Amino acid sequence: RHYREPEIKIYVDKPMAQDVLLGRGGLSNHHLGNIAYRNHVGDMRQWYRASEKNEKTDHAQTLVHWVQKDQGGRFLKREPKAGNKWYIVT
């Protein structure tokens, strides 16, 4: 999993339904944004597999754009050292 840790963390009070929660376990597995993301990934699977190696980065960026622009969501990670608050990663 590749994402950039922000230099300055922007915390959010509560994840929105369209956000994608990074991490493992039931919370992220059952979150609506993660479910929609997994479904969208499944829809793109054939297209991705048929692509050349140099095109696959473009497909990944398409997924990021879909979450951020089309769905209005964010990628969030939990910060245990800050009381389990969520912050935005890109």
Side-chain angles (χ1 to χ4, degrees):
R1 313 263 179 204
H2 298 283
Y3 54 86
R4 284 180 289 176
E5 287 284 340
E7 289 183 28
I8 299 172
K9 293 179 180 174
I10 300 171
Y11 292 96
V12 299
D13 292 327
K14 184 178 179 183
M16 300 183 301
Q18 59 271 38
D19 290 334
V20 175
L21 307 181
L22 303 179
R24 299 174 54 175
L27 184 60
S28 60
N29 285 340
H30 301 302
H31 185 71
L32 292 176
N34 291 56
I35 293 168
Y37 179 79
R38 284 194 307 271
N39 289 337
H40 196 66
V41 167
D43 293 344
M44 293 179 63
R45 185 167 286 137
Q46 290 289 34
W47 181 41
Y48 183 84
R49 286 183 178 165
S51 299
E52 298 292 326
K53 186 175 182 178
N54 61 344
E55 296 173 312
K56 292 186 177 188
T57 301
D58 294 337
H59 295 324
Q61 190 57 45
T62 298
L63 283 169
V64 171
H65 184 274
W66 180 80
V67 170
Q68 294 176 335
K69 305 294 186 216
D70 298 346
Q71 299 297 303
R74 305 161 293 188
F75 290 90
L76 302 179
K77 185 176 178 184
R78 220 172 204 173
E79 177 69 78
K81 295 178 182 176
N84 280 329
K85 290 182 181 177
W86 294 96
Y87 65 94
I88 301 170
V89 296
T90 56

